[in-house]
Amino acid sequence: MNNIKKLRENKKLTLMELSKEVQIPNNTLSQYENEKRKPKLETWQALADFFGVSVPYLQGAYSKDEINKKVIASYNEYFEAYNIKKLFLIVQPLNGWTIEDYLIAVGAVPFDTPKTHFLINKDQMEDYDFWKKNLEPIYKNVAVKWLLEKPGINATKEDVLKAVNSAMNTVIAYSSSTTVSRNLGADEIIHFDYSSIAENQFMHKRYNFLDMHEWNDDEELPDGSHQLIPFYDFNHSHPLDGEIYMRDEIK
């Protein structure tokens, strides 16, 4: 479905008022809105210029603003579910952990933040400009580009979040390991324009930061066997040497 009616109503214009503005008969505009008639390319462009949007968006593609708001809503849902201890009820293609790892990868959140979840504060959560700026790299991903450029795909909310999840995981992969940049090669990194993300390696640094603050408890199970229970202590660190460190070794 195209977005002509939505944009017209957002501007609080009647069909007659829009007709006068764009010099198109109101009955013709009604047919356009109800997709009983297709505008010519020059008419699409004239309407897009009037509303200040792209032609694909006018024709029914998603806008960055719409996608950004779906990501924000997804993160807020994760935040609220965690607070009421009902994360198990969240079943969606994009989860809060992926969003937070992505924000670390693009440098929006310091890799050495001494927390394991809810890495952004309330002000950042409510700051649309924060999200708008830091979500920009996902729009280099082919799947997300399609949402912006292909009005005929009729993507659902789930489709949008799946595309964003794929894009975010690509960014996280670039940031996680130098092997990604070595395997893909310089030309491909430049093509995706993720070179700075690959160079900064914030997620790789994040994993190291978590590893050096991970300790373990030795828990005895009812059958007499033992199980290591990991936990994080951000006030104490240990060497990154691949060894397992226990609580009683904390100094």
Side-chain angles (χ1 to χ4, degrees):
M1 193 72 179
N2 68 55
N3 287 315
I4 299 173
K5 183 176 182 179
K6 179 168 77 172
L7 290 165
R8 173 177 65 78
E9 291 178 342
N10 286 347
K11 278 185 170 285
K12 296 181 167 53
L13 294 173
T14 64
L15 276 169
M16 188 66 74
E17 288 168 334
L18 178 59
S19 174
K20 291 177 181 177
E21 292 284 352
V22 296
Q23 299 298 302
I24 298 172
N26 65 306
N27 63 327
T28 302
L29 287 170
S30 178
Q31 289 177 320
Y32 290 164
E33 288 187 352
N34 294 299
E35 298 193 331
K36 293 180 178 177
R37 182 174 173 180
K38 279 191 175 182
K40 294 180 179 178
L41 183 56
E42 57 266 30
T43 305
W44 279 121
Q45 190 62 62
L47 287 167
D49 291 343
F50 173 77
F51 288 117
V53 298
S54 68
V55 169
Y57 176 70
L58 188 65
Q59 291 173 331
Y62 277 89
S63 67
K64 288 184 179 182
D65 184 59
E66 289 174 319
I67 295 172
N68 290 346
K69 287 177 179 176
K70 289 187 187 302
V71 174
I72 295 168
S74 183
Y75 187 78
N76 286 338
E77 188 177 346
Y78 156 76
F79 182 84
E80 290 164 10
Y82 190 92
N83 282 340
I84 60 173
K85 303 189 186 316
K86 290 190 176 180
L87 267 182
F88 61 92
L89 294 177
I90 300 295
V91 180
Q92 58 186 20
L94 179 65
N95 63 54
W97 292 287
T98 299
I99 295 172
E100 290 182 340
D101 283 352
Y102 166 84
L103 291 173
I104 290 172
V106 298
V109 173
F111 70 85
D112 56 355
T113 300
K115 295 168 68 179
T116 55
H117 48 266
F118 301 130
L119 307 184
I120 62 176
N121 59 47
K122 195 71 174 173
D123 288 341
Q124 290 171 317
M125 284 178 63
E126 297 173 354
D127 182 0
Y128 181 75
D129 287 338
F130 168 83
W131 292 99
K132 181 180 178 181
K133 173 187 174 184
N134 291 302
L135 289 175
E136 194 60 32
I138 69 173
Y139 296 105
K140 304 178 193 305
N141 180 275
V142 173
V144 181
K145 278 184 177 179
W146 269 61
L147 296 173
L148 300 175
E149 298 170 0
K150 305 292 181 183
I153 60 176
N154 297 318
T156 64
K157 173 188 173 182
E158 186 176 80
D159 294 330
V160 172
L161 294 179
K162 281 181 179 178
V164 171
N165 182 67
S166 172
M168 285 188 170
N169 277 302
T170 299
V171 171
I172 292 166
Y174 271 89
S175 180
S176 296
S177 171
T178 51
T179 23
V180 174
S181 56
R182 284 201 300 269
N183 290 343
L184 291 173
D187 291 341
E188 194 165 354
I189 291 173
I190 292 169
H191 172 70
F192 281 103
D193 199 17
Y194 291 150
S195 55
S196 61
I197 292 170
E199 288 167 6
N200 289 330
Q201 294 290 292
F202 288 136
M203 275 309 299
H204 181 69
K205 294 172 183 176
R206 175 66 176 175
Y207 294 144
N208 283 342
F209 175 75
L210 291 175
D211 284 348
M212 66 193 294
H213 290 94
E214 182 181 291
W215 303 83
N216 291 270
D217 282 323
D218 185 359
E219 182 177 290
E220 185 173 355
L221 301 178
D223 63 0
S225 62
H226 288 257
Q227 180 180 5
L228 292 179
I229 307 297
F231 67 92
Y232 292 102
D233 181 344
F234 292 109
N235 293 315
H236 301 90
S237 63
H238 58 71
L240 285 173
D241 53 10
E243 297 295 322
I244 294 174
Y245 286 83
M246 307 302 294
R247 183 186 292 273
D248 58 13
E249 296 179 88
I250 296 176
K251 297 177 182 180

